[in-house]
Amino acid sequence: MKATRLLFSGVTILATALAACAGPATTAAPEAPTDAPAATTAPTPVPPTEAAAPTEAPTEAAVAPSAGLTCATPIKIGLIGDYTGPLAVYGAMQVRSFMLGMEYLAGAPGSAGEVFTVDMKENTFTIDGCEITVVVADDQGNPETTATVARELIESQGVDLLVGSVSSPTTATLQGLAQENEKVLIVNPAAANDITGVNFNEYTFRTSRNNYQDFINLCSYLTTKYTKFVQIAPDNSFGQGGAASGRDACTKFGGEFVVDDIFAPIETTDFTPYMDQILDSGAEAWIVTWAGGGFVPMFQAAREQGVFDEMVLAASLANNAAIPVYGPAVGQNSGILYHYMLPTNEINDWLVEQDIARYGTPPDLFDADGMNAAIMVIEGLKKTGGVATADVLIPALEGLSFEGPKGTIAIRPEDHVAIQDMYIVKILNVDDKDFKFFELVETTRPEPPCLLPEGLKDRCGALPYGSLSGTP
């Protein structure tokens, strides 16, 4: 039989799930969140306030330093994430890095002290004389809980804007509530295209990348090695968006999908029939887009049915604790959205130093997203003179460029996508105690197509609409 080979291309992997991949699962996969609600009705088209964002990062000289922050009254930010549910490992990255981002800007820890835990609930910072309180709520990865805690933050706590959440279904719920209550929402680390696509409303921004950015980064490399693909994804907005992005990007770079995309319910535990379809496809590589505990039974079925022996697995590199599962790929190249060793700038250096000192670990996959969200909030408020109302803050955020752990983040005014660096790396090892696994091969800066609903198409301007080719 062929030696097991791995090449990585379009997946987010839950560390706790992959830890069990070496053998049969000892516990059931975590219950998946309920499906996202239907997309909210598209608002009346509102033209973006600025011209198209550049496809390349502005030079350092082009990014003017921001003035100090002033505010007439204290500001409250509602931070929502999955801190005890199926994606809690990602929520931990989001909350600690958001608090560290606020501290970086304040120049001192908040009222909670140097180490923040979710049970503390609140953390107050003073930035240039402006008092800002971050109120934290756990949505447990459940959209119904998201709705409950978001309403509590808005109606009882009186927050001025929202940040979150971890999963794409919970974020869809949060988008509708932000629009209903006219609150700006900054999404991280959820990745679904729909967030700034069919579910777009003018209140929604993001610092997280979307599915397309993952695949533009990866397919440009993947297609230099293989040309025939098949892919499997969960049957939800994250999976469908990922599959559509993977098909479009890999096809544009010369790949071919030999069968229709395979979708399985997110709660699937028996992947036998899906592995049969993959084996029968005739593909050279199978692409996986997934999140959560489904990896345990999926990979078990793939091993038992010989999928790994017949074709290459294509899946992006994941969080630090999950990397040991990629042992067979040492020496190969892959893609990743962030790793603490890759960016070279003072902000990332500070984040690395503080994460290790405070939390005993270097930054992980989504730490940059959380810190970027904090920086984005404050940079926007500086532009508005501390005014957090949506009618003033939205035009300040559209077209905003700021510096964060990944370098320059540029917010596209057309659809509020965050243009940012992504990375191709060589896997050097999978067992370094300090998670020093990679060597940088290339930094890319993918710019995805505009995916707004038809009623808002005019906002897209000169951007490719619906796909990389511009043909929906």
Side-chain angles (χ1 to χ4, degrees):
M1 290 189 294
K2 302 175 185 177
T4 301
R5 299 166 295 163
L6 298 170
L7 187 71
F8 301 97
S9 172
V11 66
T12 305
I13 300 178
L14 184 62
T16 53
L18 282 177
C21 284
T26 57
T27 59
E31 184 177 352
T34 57
D35 291 337
T40 55
T41 304
T44 303
V46 179
T49 58
E50 306 211 8
T55 57
E56 298 182 359
T59 63
E60 187 172 331
V63 182
S66 300
L69 175 62
T70 60
C71 57
T73 58
I75 294 171
K76 277 191 174 183
I77 301 169
L79 177 63
I80 299 175
D82 180 354
Y83 307 128
T84 58
L87 298 181
V89 65
Y90 300 152
M93 303 174 199
Q94 177 223 40
V95 68
R96 74 186 177 210
S97 58
F98 188 87
M99 295 303 181
L100 284 173
M102 293 295 292
E103 177 179 333
Y104 177 80
L105 297 163
S111 59
E114 292 193 346
V115 176
F116 182 84
T117 56
V118 173
D119 61 306
M120 294 176 176
K121 302 294 185 183
E122 294 187 7
N123 204 1
T124 299
F125 299 85
T126 301
I127 301 177
D128 297 335
C130 182
E131 182 181 296
I132 301 178
T133 297
V134 183
V135 186
V136 178
D138 180 9
D139 68 12
Q140 303 172 349
N142 186 320
E144 293 182 1
T145 306
T146 304
T148 299
V149 299
R151 289 192 179 98
E152 167 70 17
L153 288 173
I154 294 168
E155 296 170 5
S156 298
Q157 296 286 345
V159 300
D160 298 289
L161 65 152
L162 297 166
V163 177
S165 181
V166 174
S167 80
S168 296
T170 57
T171 299
T173 297
L174 201 51
Q175 287 184 265
L177 288 167
Q179 181 181 26
E180 177 186 326
N181 290 277
E182 299 183 343
K183 303 292 184 183
V184 166
L185 164 66
I186 298 177
V187 174
N188 79 95
N193 288 333
D194 288 355
I195 293 166
T196 43
V198 298
N199 289 341
F200 174 86
N201 62 61
E202 63 178 329
Y203 300 93
T204 299
F205 292 80
R206 72 193 308 163
T207 58
S208 54
R209 91 292 185 209
N210 68 10
N211 298 131
Y212 253 108
Q213 287 162 291
D214 280 331
F215 275 106
I216 294 170
N217 181 48
L218 265 297
C219 287
S220 61
Y221 172 75
L222 184 63
T223 52
T224 67
K225 300 295 182 182
Y226 303 97
T227 58
K228 295 182 178 180
F229 304 103
V230 61
Q231 62 180 336
I232 183 171
D235 193 8
N236 60 18
S237 62
F238 169 73
Q240 292 161 0
S245 304
R247 178 174 286 268
D248 186 28
C250 284
T251 300
K252 182 176 177 61
F253 288 112
E256 174 190 1
F257 286 82
V258 293
V259 296
D260 291 341
D261 300 334
I262 300 168
F263 294 102
I266 188 68
E267 65 272 14
T268 297
T269 56
D270 181 7
F271 283 87
T272 301
Y274 303 108
M275 293 303 109
D276 286 340
Q277 293 179 58
I278 289 170
L279 280 170
D280 292 342
S281 68
E284 298 172 280
W286 60 299
I287 297 174
V288 181
T289 298
W290 208 274
F295 272 103
V296 176
M298 181 193 296
F299 280 29
Q300 183 175 337
R303 284 195 305 273
E304 291 174 351
Q305 293 172 245
V307 176
F308 289 131
D309 298 320
E310 297 299 324
M311 64 182 69
V312 171
L313 169 66
S316 284
L317 292 162
N319 50 299
N320 292 334
I323 297 301
V325 77
Y326 300 120
V330 170
Q332 294 183 6
N333 291 356
S334 180
I336 195 167
L337 66 97
Y338 171 78
H339 185 268
Y340 80 96
M341 291 180 60
L342 302 178
T344 55
N345 61 71
E346 292 182 1
I347 300 175
N348 189 63
D349 291 346
W350 186 90
L351 177 62
V352 172
E353 179 183 355
Q354 299 307 317
D355 254 334
I356 292 172
R358 313 287 182 84
Y359 299 97
T361 183
D364 214 328
L365 191 67
F366 296 123
D367 277 84
D369 284 349
M371 187 172 186
N372 280 333
I375 295 171
M376 182 175 172
V377 168
I378 301 307
E379 291 300 315
L381 290 171
K382 286 179 180 179
K383 290 183 67 176
T384 67
V387 177
T389 56
D391 60 329
V392 178
L393 190 54
I394 288 171
L397 295 176
E398 290 183 337
L400 178 71
S401 288
F402 61 91
E403 297 301 314
K406 293 179 69 175
T408 303
I409 306 296
I411 306 301
R412 278 201 320 209
E414 296 89 351
D415 55 3
H416 302 176
V417 166
I419 304 302
Q420 58 193 277
D421 289 352
M422 307 279 281
Y423 308 96
I424 301 295
V425 297
K426 181 177 181 179
I427 305 170
L428 301 179
N429 68 81
V430 296
D431 55 7
D432 186 273
K433 64 181 179 62
D434 297 319
F435 309 118
K436 295 179 179 180
F437 303 128
F438 312 124
E439 176 181 88
L440 179 64
V441 174
E442 181 183 3
T443 300
T444 70
R445 196 168 176 83
E447 185 155 347
C450 184
L451 302 173
L452 296 181
E454 185 69 28
L456 296 177
K457 182 178 179 180
D458 287 348
R459 283 186 62 108
C460 295
L463 294 174
Y465 180 71
S467 71
L468 292 170
S469 65
T471 303

